[in-house]
mmCIF file with all atom_site columns, all heavy atoms in Angstrom:
data_model
loop_
_atom_site.group_PDB
_atom_site.id
_atom_site.type_symbol
_atom_site.label_atom_id
_atom_site.label_alt_id
_atom_site.label_comp_id
_atom_site.label_asym_id
_atom_site.label_entity_id
_atom_site.label_seq_id
_atom_site.pdbx_PDB_ins_code
_atom_site.Cartn_x
_atom_site.Cartn_y
_atom_site.Cartn_z
_atom_site.occupancy
_atom_site.B_iso_or_equiv
_atom_site.pdbx_formal_charge
_atom_site.auth_seq_id
_atom_site.auth_comp_id
_atom_site.auth_asym_id
_atom_site.auth_atom_id
_atom_site.pdbx_PDB_model_num
ATOM 1  N N   . PRO A 1 13 ? 0.946   -5.503  -3.140  1.00 44.00 ? 27 PRO A N   1
ATOM 2  C CA  . PRO A 1 13 ? 1.209   -5.642  -1.703  1.00 44.00 ? 27 PRO A CA  1
ATOM 3  C C   . PRO A 1 13 ? 1.796   -4.396  -1.115  1.00 44.00 ? 27 PRO A C   1
ATOM 4  O O   . PRO A 1 13 ? 2.267   -3.471  -1.835  1.00 44.00 ? 27 PRO A O   1
ATOM 5  C CB  . PRO A 1 13 ? 2.241   -6.770  -1.678  1.00 44.00 ? 27 PRO A CB  1
ATOM 6  C CG  . PRO A 1 13 ? 2.163   -7.445  -3.007  1.00 44.00 ? 27 PRO A CG  1
ATOM 7  C CD  . PRO A 1 13 ? 1.612   -6.469  -3.955  1.00 44.00 ? 27 PRO A CD  1
ATOM 8  N N   . HIS A 1 14 ? 1.888   -4.321  0.166   1.00 43.00 ? 28 HIS A N   1
ATOM 9  C CA  . HIS A 1 14 ? 2.477   -3.275  0.958   1.00 43.00 ? 28 HIS A CA  1
ATOM 10 C C   . HIS A 1 14 ? 1.855   -1.922  0.689   1.00 43.00 ? 28 HIS A C   1
ATOM 11 O O   . HIS A 1 14 ? 2.495   -0.938  0.760   1.00 43.00 ? 28 HIS A O   1
ATOM 12 C CB  . HIS A 1 14 ? 4.008   -3.198  0.667   1.00 43.00 ? 28 HIS A CB  1
ATOM 13 C CG  . HIS A 1 14 ? 4.697   -4.504  0.894   1.00 43.00 ? 28 HIS A CG  1
ATOM 14 N ND1 . HIS A 1 14 ? 4.735   -5.098  2.092   1.00 43.00 ? 28 HIS A ND1 1
ATOM 15 C CD2 . HIS A 1 14 ? 5.321   -5.328  0.042   1.00 43.00 ? 28 HIS A CD2 1
ATOM 16 C CE1 . HIS A 1 14 ? 5.376   -6.231  2.020   1.00 43.00 ? 28 HIS A CE1 1
ATOM 17 N NE2 . HIS A 1 14 ? 5.780   -6.417  0.769   1.00 43.00 ? 28 HIS A NE2 1
ATOM 18 N N   . GLY A 1 15 ? 0.560   -1.898  0.341   1.00 44.00 ? 29 GLY A N   1
ATOM 19 C CA  . GLY A 1 15 ? -0.121  -0.654  0.264   1.00 44.00 ? 29 GLY A CA  1
ATOM 20 C C   . GLY A 1 15 ? 0.075   0.054   -1.061  1.00 44.00 ? 29 GLY A C   1
ATOM 21 O O   . GLY A 1 15 ? -0.414  1.131   -1.288  1.00 44.00 ? 29 GLY A O   1
ATOM 22 N N   . TYR A 1 16 ? 0.825   -0.498  -2.006  1.00 41.00 ? 30 TYR A N   1
ATOM 23 C CA  . TYR A 1 16 ? 0.941   0.081   -3.349  1.00 41.00 ? 30 TYR A CA  1
ATOM 24 C C   . TYR A 1 16 ? -0.247  -0.337  -4.133  1.00 41.00 ? 30 TYR A C   1
ATOM 25 O O   . TYR A 1 16 ? -0.300  -1.504  -4.607  1.00 41.00 ? 30 TYR A O   1
ATOM 26 C CB  . TYR A 1 16 ? 2.248   -0.447  -4.056  1.00 41.00 ? 30 TYR A CB  1
ATOM 27 C CG  . TYR A 1 16 ? 3.469   0.041   -3.304  1.00 41.00 ? 30 TYR A CG  1
ATOM 28 C CD1 . TYR A 1 16 ? 4.151   -0.827  -2.434  1.00 41.00 ? 30 TYR A CD1 1
ATOM 29 C CD2 . TYR A 1 16 ? 3.959   1.336   -3.489  1.00 41.00 ? 30 TYR A CD2 1
ATOM 30 C CE1 . TYR A 1 16 ? 5.315   -0.409  -1.783  1.00 41.00 ? 30 TYR A CE1 1
ATOM 31 C CE2 . TYR A 1 16 ? 5.130   1.778   -2.840  1.00 41.00 ? 30 TYR A CE2 1
ATOM 32 C CZ  . TYR A 1 16 ? 5.799   0.873   -1.962  1.00 41.00 ? 30 TYR A CZ  1
ATOM 33 O OH  . TYR A 1 16 ? 6.942   1.351   -1.361  1.00 41.00 ? 30 TYR A OH  1
ATOM 34 N N   . THR A 1 17 ? -1.196  0.531   -4.341  1.00 37.00 ? 31 THR A N   1
ATOM 35 C CA  . THR A 1 17 ? -2.415  0.157   -5.001  1.00 37.00 ? 31 THR A CA  1
ATOM 36 C C   . THR A 1 17 ? -2.520  0.847   -6.348  1.00 37.00 ? 31 THR A C   1
ATOM 37 O O   . THR A 1 17 ? -2.304  2.023   -6.443  1.00 37.00 ? 31 THR A O   1
ATOM 38 C CB  . THR A 1 17 ? -3.644  0.546   -4.144  1.00 37.00 ? 31 THR A CB  1
ATOM 39 O OG1 . THR A 1 17 ? -3.459  -0.080  -2.848  1.00 37.00 ? 31 THR A OG1 1
ATOM 40 C CG2 . THR A 1 17 ? -4.913  0.094   -4.772  1.00 37.00 ? 31 THR A CG2 1
ATOM 41 N N   . VAL A 1 18 ? -2.833  0.055   -7.325  1.00 35.00 ? 32 VAL A N   1
ATOM 42 C CA  . VAL A 1 18 ? -3.109  0.556   -8.690  1.00 35.00 ? 32 VAL A CA  1
ATOM 43 C C   . VAL A 1 18 ? -4.443  0.068   -9.089  1.00 35.00 ? 32 VAL A C   1
ATOM 44 O O   . VAL A 1 18 ? -4.754  -1.125  -9.038  1.00 35.00 ? 32 VAL A O   1
ATOM 45 C CB  . VAL A 1 18 ? -2.020  0.129   -9.642  1.00 35.00 ? 32 VAL A CB  1
ATOM 46 C CG1 . VAL A 1 18 ? -2.344  0.612   -11.047 1.00 35.00 ? 32 VAL A CG1 1
ATOM 47 C CG2 . VAL A 1 18 ? -0.646  0.572   -9.247  1.00 35.00 ? 32 VAL A CG2 1
ATOM 48 N N   . ASP A 1 19 ? -5.357  0.935   -9.500  1.00 32.00 ? 33 ASP A N   1
ATOM 49 C CA  . ASP A 1 19 ? -6.742  0.610   -9.849  1.00 32.00 ? 33 ASP A CA  1
ATOM 50 C C   . ASP A 1 19 ? -6.707  -0.259  -11.074 1.00 32.00 ? 33 ASP A C   1
ATOM 51 O O   . ASP A 1 19 ? -6.058  -0.015  -12.080 1.00 32.00 ? 33 ASP A O   1
ATOM 52 C CB  . ASP A 1 19 ? -7.521  1.852   -10.055 1.00 32.00 ? 33 ASP A CB  1
ATOM 53 C CG  . ASP A 1 19 ? -8.972  1.529   -10.377 1.00 32.00 ? 33 ASP A CG  1
ATOM 54 O OD1 . ASP A 1 19 ? -9.516  0.629   -9.713  1.00 32.00 ? 33 ASP A OD1 1
ATOM 55 O OD2 . ASP A 1 19 ? -9.541  2.223   -11.232 1.00 32.00 ? 33 ASP A OD2 1
ATOM 56 N N   . ALA A 1 20 ? -7.531  -1.359  -11.086 1.00 34.00 ? 34 ALA A N   1
ATOM 57 C CA  . ALA A 1 20 ? -7.710  -2.236  -12.174 1.00 34.00 ? 34 ALA A CA  1
ATOM 58 C C   . ALA A 1 20 ? -9.073  -1.975  -12.836 1.00 34.00 ? 34 ALA A C   1
ATOM 59 O O   . ALA A 1 20 ? -10.035 -2.342  -12.247 1.00 34.00 ? 34 ALA A O   1
ATOM 60 C CB  . ALA A 1 20 ? -7.554  -3.682  -11.832 1.00 34.00 ? 34 ALA A CB  1
ATOM 61 N N   . ALA A 1 21 ? -9.031  -1.314  -13.953 1.00 31.00 ? 35 ALA A N   1
ATOM 62 C CA  . ALA A 1 21 ? -10.269 -0.985  -14.621 1.00 31.00 ? 35 ALA A CA  1
ATOM 63 C C   . ALA A 1 21 ? -10.706 -2.108  -15.531 1.00 31.00 ? 35 ALA A C   1
ATOM 64 O O   . ALA A 1 21 ? -9.901  -2.942  -15.916 1.00 31.00 ? 35 ALA A O   1
ATOM 65 C CB  . ALA A 1 21 ? -10.133 0.296   -15.381 1.00 31.00 ? 35 ALA A CB  1
ATOM 66 N N   . HIS A 1 22 ? -11.964 -2.100  -15.913 1.00 29.00 ? 36 HIS A N   1
ATOM 67 C CA  . HIS A 1 22 ? -12.534 -3.047  -16.919 1.00 29.00 ? 36 HIS A CA  1
ATOM 68 C C   . HIS A 1 22 ? -12.333 -4.516  -16.526 1.00 29.00 ? 36 HIS A C   1
ATOM 69 O O   . HIS A 1 22 ? -11.906 -5.322  -17.362 1.00 29.00 ? 36 HIS A O   1
ATOM 70 C CB  . HIS A 1 22 ? -11.882 -2.829  -18.298 1.00 29.00 ? 36 HIS A CB  1
ATOM 71 C CG  . HIS A 1 22 ? -11.835 -1.328  -18.635 1.00 29.00 ? 36 HIS A CG  1
ATOM 72 N ND1 . HIS A 1 22 ? -12.987 -0.627  -18.893 1.00 29.00 ? 36 HIS A ND1 1
ATOM 73 C CD2 . HIS A 1 22 ? -10.827 -0.536  -18.838 1.00 29.00 ? 36 HIS A CD2 1
ATOM 74 C CE1 . HIS A 1 22 ? -12.587 0.643   -19.171 1.00 29.00 ? 36 HIS A CE1 1
ATOM 75 N NE2 . HIS A 1 22 ? -11.331 0.722   -19.168 1.00 29.00 ? 36 HIS A NE2 1
ATOM 76 N N   . GLU A 1 23 ? -12.629 -4.817  -15.280 1.00 31.00 ? 37 GLU A N   1
ATOM 77 C CA  . GLU A 1 23 ? -12.498 -6.263  -14.867 1.00 31.00 ? 37 GLU A CA  1
ATOM 78 C C   . GLU A 1 23 ? -13.565 -7.089  -15.520 1.00 31.00 ? 37 GLU A C   1
ATOM 79 O O   . GLU A 1 23 ? -14.743 -6.654  -15.644 1.00 31.00 ? 37 GLU A O   1
ATOM 80 C CB  . GLU A 1 23 ? -12.546 -6.427  -13.412 1.00 31.00 ? 37 GLU A CB  1
ATOM 81 C CG  . GLU A 1 23 ? -11.381 -5.752  -12.744 1.00 31.00 ? 37 GLU A CG  1
ATOM 82 C CD  . GLU A 1 23 ? -11.337 -5.884  -11.276 1.00 31.00 ? 37 GLU A CD  1
ATOM 83 O OE1 . GLU A 1 23 ? -12.359 -6.295  -10.659 1.00 31.00 ? 37 GLU A OE1 1
ATOM 84 O OE2 . GLU A 1 23 ? -10.247 -5.662  -10.683 1.00 31.00 ? 37 GLU A OE2 1
ATOM 85 N N   . ARG A 1 24 ? -13.220 -8.327  -15.978 1.00 32.00 ? 38 ARG A N   1
ATOM 86 C CA  . ARG A 1 24 ? -14.144 -9.234  -16.600 1.00 32.00 ? 38 ARG A CA  1
ATOM 87 C C   . ARG A 1 24 ? -13.964 -10.570 -15.827 1.00 32.00 ? 38 ARG A C   1
ATOM 88 O O   . ARG A 1 24 ? -12.975 -10.855 -15.275 1.00 32.00 ? 38 ARG A O   1
ATOM 89 C CB  . ARG A 1 24 ? -13.862 -9.429  -18.053 1.00 32.00 ? 38 ARG A CB  1
ATOM 90 C CG  . ARG A 1 24 ? -14.153 -8.205  -18.885 1.00 32.00 ? 38 ARG A CG  1
ATOM 91 C CD  . ARG A 1 24 ? -13.854 -8.452  -20.359 1.00 32.00 ? 38 ARG A CD  1
ATOM 92 N NE  . ARG A 1 24 ? -12.402 -8.727  -20.493 1.00 32.00 ? 38 ARG A NE  1
ATOM 93 C CZ  . ARG A 1 24 ? -11.897 -9.253  -21.565 1.00 32.00 ? 38 ARG A CZ  1
ATOM 94 N NH1 . ARG A 1 24 ? -12.618 -9.640  -22.570 1.00 32.00 ? 38 ARG A NH1 1
ATOM 95 N NH2 . ARG A 1 24 ? -10.619 -9.425  -21.638 1.00 32.00 ? 38 ARG A NH2 1
#
Side-chain angles (χ1 to χ4, degrees):
H28 305 299
Y30 295 98
T31 304
V32 178
D33 184 38
H36 313 295
E37 294 183 345
R38 294 180 294 165

